[in-house]
């Protein structure tokens, strides 16, 4: 059984499983086919997201517990909805060691722990101990640590609590002596970059990787998940970060056996023409690849030259010093924008040398096989990780990616050719521990270097810098879009498609508005220069990103924009960082926060913001409705992220996990189900019309969504339309709305269809087929969903 659509809910203490169960009637009336839950296993106390699981053996009591899941499942199934749950097999949360049963036991007993093999620890590198990078200052020469004390059978470092192993403490022992006898060592936090000896989720020290490839670890960490399927509580799973696993294929095979071949999706980022391995037991990805295509359909390719020139001017004006260049910044000397691929080669190398340096060092130790580590091998491994063109290979599949990475690395660093050859020979052996580990590591370098660094530096159009996207690809023509949709239908017809998630940098509606800048690129360049004059920050490319985000989400709150600006600037790491608090960085952040305040307090700045927002608002709404229709009716299983049935102008997490006003949505849905056709205005009710009718039709009339065929569009404004026949349901959307308005409307533009009459499910209006005049079909909304009319 596969879902025809899903609706994602963020389950937490303030919106638990009982609250989710109460929402089932609304989700059914909205048209959703399955309810899709964020992680529900016991997580770090107070966790809002649930990805920091501390106990795999139970449903989180803070999230409603087993009773809450039973209630939700009962109500969902009674209403005809399936249940999809997000699971986290790669790591566990260890921020509060005592809350994590496995981690606490590991720290207590070390190599003798029942869970010693569950964690990926390099014991030799830590001198037989687990190194915990938590100290604010290094330990003194005598091993003493300020703030460390003994409290019964626990060691306390300020508010942090760690176990004391039985028999390692006696009355009168000081904390230093006790600490020295433990199976762990508290070390300075900066050593995480070089000396950490346990695998993490990316560079998050408080998320420790587990070896789910071990049969016992799999069985114990999935017993509760198995119960869900044995008792018929859950129908499908979303697997978080499979690229972190040693053997993703083997894991998915085991999961298929455990769940009885249930519907399983993988959170997998595909690059370019990359495809999921055909032998994976999965229905598909969680849809970031679809998001990238959908966005680009609504970007005007003619805007690229002006936005490229703007980007080049901003980078020239900023200038780039040697340190920035080494960290992956880009120097522009002509009218060309930043070279995306050169940029990420630098940002990824910066990550490999920096916050993931300990991972590269461990790889080098594995290559050395216990011998002396050659510094050239460390360098070669970092260069290969930086050059790797996809998140990871799955040897023996994907060996070509390793060849490509080696060629790029050698061309970039010819003096490392011998070392690269040596390393690649080892990495090609899929049974070698270094080969397995490199596959787990390359995705970390990609994610941190691209998603969490370069996406905050590459500024020509913020729509393009979204998870799963290649920002060097500016736009798609309808023909290119249709070709990719046909491939999606053929290869993964039940894979998820998405527009917004808990991980997107900006919500779909923010991106849809920002996309309009490609149609008014010259005006945007002038507006940005005016804003930079009125509220200078001193980093042109970042200012471009910041002001695009401000106008894309306006009106919004001051607090939300301050939070976004701080996170974005520190992730970019060009003018400020998370850790190195220089005087220059502090001064930059003061100017940055002053610019955000000016958007609210300075009359001239606010006027500029509101003036350009007035230009973008209506065409942005048109883009939002268009991209929503294409996703909701397109190949795959569309997901609606919580609250996204109305306008949602959320930014990067945690902003996109804010509480949703479901009472408002319920009231508006009642009006829409009663036959209302609200205007396209700030209420967002028009988006609810599109979402409700598209989901309901897809759920109740699957026979109308069995194929994908582009419909021909003819006329002067044909470029502003995209139309498709999904097997009886015709989806028609406006694109490039500014150009359409400047041309005076649709005029004689038509869509060619088969004969007969059609009914628009959004408006109820009847249209005769053959040559559908868009001026008639799109009179009320910039989108239409037509089905054969019943005479």
């Amino acid at each position: 059984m596969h879902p025809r659509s899903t609706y994602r809910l963020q389950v937490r203490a303030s919106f638990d499983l009982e609250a989710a169960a109460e929402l089932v009637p609304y989700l059914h009336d909205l048209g959703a086919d399955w309810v899709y839950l964020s992680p529900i296993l016991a997580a770090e106390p107070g966790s809002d997201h649930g990805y920091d699981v501390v106990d795999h053996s139970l449903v989180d009591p803070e999230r409603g517990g087993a009773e809450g899941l039973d209630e939700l499942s009962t109500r969902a199934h009674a209403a005809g909805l399936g249940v999809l749950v997000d699971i986290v097999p790669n790591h566990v949360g260890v921020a509060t060691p005592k809350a994590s049963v496995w981690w606490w036991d590991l720290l207590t007993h070390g190599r003798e722990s029942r869970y010693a093999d569950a964690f990926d620890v390099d014991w030799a590198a830590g001198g037989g101990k687990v190194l915990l990078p938590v100290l604010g200052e290094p330990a003194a020469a005598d091993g003493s640590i300020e703030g460390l004390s003994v409290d019964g059978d626990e060691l306390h470092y300020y508010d942090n609590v760690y176990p004391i192993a039985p028999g390692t403490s006696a009355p009168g022992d000081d904390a230093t002596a006790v600490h020295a006898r433990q199976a762990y060592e508290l070390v300075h936090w900066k050593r995480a970059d070089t000396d950490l000896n346990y695998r993490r989720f990316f560079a998050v020290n408080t998320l420790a990787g587990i070896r789910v490839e071990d049969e016992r670890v799999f069985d114990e960490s999935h017993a509760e998940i198995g119960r869900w399927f044995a008792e018929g509580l859950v129908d499908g799973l979303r697997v978080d970060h499979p690229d972190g696993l040693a053997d993703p294929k083997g894991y998915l095979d085991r999961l298929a056996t455990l769940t009885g071949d249930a519907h399983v999706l993988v959170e997998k980022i595909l690059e370019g023409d990359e495809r999921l391995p055909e032998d994976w037991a999965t229905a598909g990805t969680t849809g970031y690849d679809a998001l990238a295509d959908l966005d680009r359909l609504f970007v005007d390719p003619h805007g690229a030259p002006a936005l490229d020139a703007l980007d080049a001017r901003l980078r020239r004006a900023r200038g780039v010093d040697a340190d920035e260049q080494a960290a992956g910044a880009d120097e522009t000397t002509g009218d060309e924008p930043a070279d995306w691929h050169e940029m990420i080669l630098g940002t990824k190398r910066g990550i490999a040398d920096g916050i993931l340096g300990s991972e590269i060092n461990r790889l080098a130790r594995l290559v050395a096989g216990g011998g002396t580590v050659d510094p050239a091998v460390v360098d070669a491994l970092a260069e290969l990780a930086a050059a790797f063109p996809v998140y990871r290979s799955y040897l023996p599949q994907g060996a070509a990616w390793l060849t490509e990475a080696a060629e790029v690395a050698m061309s970039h660093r010819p003096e490392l050719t011998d070392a690269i050859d040596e390393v690649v020979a080892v990495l090609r052996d899929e049974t070698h521990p270094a080969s397995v580990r490199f596959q787990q590591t390359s995705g970390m370098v990609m994610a941190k270097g691209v998603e969490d660094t370069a996406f905050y530096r590459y500024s020509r159009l913020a729509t393009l810098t979204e998870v799963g996207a290649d920002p060097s690809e500016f736009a798609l023509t309808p023909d290119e879009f249709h070709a990719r949709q046909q491939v999606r239908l053929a290869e993964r017809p039940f894979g998820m498609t998405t527009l917004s998630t808990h991980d997107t940098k900006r919500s779909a509606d923010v991106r849809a508005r920002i996309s309009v800048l490609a149609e008014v690129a010259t005006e945007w360049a002038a507006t940005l220069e005016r804003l930079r004059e009125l509220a200078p920050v001193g980093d042109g490319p970042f200012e471009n990103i910041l002001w695009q985000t401000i106008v894309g989400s306006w009106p919004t709150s001051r607090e939300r924009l301050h939070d976004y600006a701080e996170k974005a600037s520190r992730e970019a790491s060009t003018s400020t960082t998370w850790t190195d608090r220089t005087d220059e960085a502090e001064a930059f952040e003061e100017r940055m926060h002053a610019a955000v305040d000016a958007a609210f307090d300075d009359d001239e700045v606010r006027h500029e913001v509101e003036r350009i927002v007035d230009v973008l608002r209506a065409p942005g709404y048109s883009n939002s409705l268009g991209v929503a229709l294409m996703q909701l009716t397109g190949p795959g299983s569309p997901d609606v992220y919580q609250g996204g049935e109305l306008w949602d102008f959320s930014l990067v997490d945690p902003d996109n996990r804010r509480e949703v006003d479901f009472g408002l949505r319920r009231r508006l849905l009642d009006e829409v189900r009663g036959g209302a056709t609200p205007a396209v205005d700030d209420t967002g009710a028009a988006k609810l019309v599109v979402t409700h009718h598209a989901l309901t039709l897809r759920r109740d009339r699957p026979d109308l969504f069995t194929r994908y065929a582009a419909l021909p569009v003819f006329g002067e404004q044909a470029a502003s339309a995209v139309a498709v026949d999904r097997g009886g349901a015709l989806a028609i959307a406006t694109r490039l709305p500014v150009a359409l308005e400047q041309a005076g409307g649709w005029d004689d533009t038509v869509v060619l269809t088969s004969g007969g009459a059609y009914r628009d499910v959004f408006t109820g209006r009847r249209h005769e087929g053959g040559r559908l005049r868009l001026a008639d079909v799109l009179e009320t909304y910039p989108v239409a969903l037509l089905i054969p009319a019943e005479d």
Side-chain angles (χ1 to χ4, degrees), residues 205-227:
N205 299 336
T206 55
L207 296 176
I210 58 174
R211 299 181 61 253
V212 75
E213 66 272 17
D214 183 295
E215 186 172 351
R216 183 179 68 83
V217 176
F218 178 92
D219 290 344
E220 192 162 341
S221 62
H222 286 66
E224 173 65 8
I225 295 169
R227 182 185 73 83

Side-chain angles (χ1 to χ4, degrees), residues 486-716:
Q486 287 164 341
V487 170
R488 187 178 312 284
L489 180 63
E491 292 186 352
R492 299 286 179 177
F494 303 110
M496 182 179 283
T497 66
T498 190
L499 294 175
S500 296
T501 76
H502 62 286
D503 276 334
T504 43
K505 307 300 182 186
R506 300 167 188 85
S507 68
D509 294 324
V510 174
R511 301 195 309 273
R513 184 185 289 176
I514 290 173
S515 293
V516 182
L517 295 177
E519 292 200 79
V520 295
T522 301
E523 183 173 359
W524 171 247
T527 300
L528 178 63
E529 290 305 322
R530 177 65 173 153
L531 289 167
R532 294 183 67 222
E533 290 173 4
L534 294 170
V537 176
D539 182 338
F542 177 74
E543 288 169 275
N544 195 7
I545 293 172
L546 177 63
W547 287 110
Q548 285 185 49
T549 303
I550 289 174
V551 301
S553 59
W554 195 267
T556 185
S557 74
R558 187 189 307 258
E559 180 183 11
R560 291 175 60 207
L561 288 181
H562 278 301
D563 289 346
Y564 170 81
E566 182 173 284
K567 180 169 184 173
S569 62
R570 292 181 180 181
E571 295 282 31
S573 302
T574 50
S575 295
T576 185
T577 70
W578 286 108
T579 55
D580 296 325
R581 311 306 302 146
T582 64
D583 291 343
E584 292 81 2
E586 295 291 350
F588 167 81
E589 291 197 10
E590 286 183 13
R591 295 193 301 272
M592 176 185 72
H593 287 298
V596 170
D597 283 332
F600 296 89
D601 301 333
D602 185 294
D603 290 342
E604 289 185 276
V605 173
R606 187 182 181 100
H607 171 75
E608 283 298 316
V609 169
E610 293 183 342
R611 183 195 60 77
I612 195 66
V613 169
D614 285 343
V615 172
L616 304 177
R617 182 181 289 106
Y621 287 162
S622 177
N623 282 347
S624 285
L625 296 179
V627 74
L629 178 66
M630 288 295 107
Q631 183 233 358
L632 294 170
T633 62
S637 175
D639 177 59
V640 176
Y641 184 70
Q642 62 171 28
E645 60 271 37
L646 297 184
W647 305 137
D648 172 24
F649 295 99
S650 295
L651 303 177
V652 70
D653 68 284
D655 189 68
N656 54 22
R657 295 197 303 268
R658 290 171 296 138
E659 297 290 342
V660 175
D661 186 347
F662 285 111
L664 171 63
R665 285 158 176 78
R666 172 80 268 180
R667 293 192 297 273
L668 291 175
L669 180 60
D670 288 342
E671 294 175 9
V672 168
R673 295 180 73 217
T677 53
V680 182
D681 59 20
D682 292 348
T683 67
K687 190 179 181 186
L688 184 61
V689 169
V690 172
T691 306
H692 165 62
H693 286 295
L695 288 180
T696 302
L697 184 67
R698 185 160 196 152
R699 181 188 64 196
D700 298 345
R701 293 291 308 276
D703 55 299
L704 298 176
F705 296 88
T706 57
R707 64 175 185 268
Y708 188 99
L711 292 173
V713 184
F714 291 101
E716 290 293 324

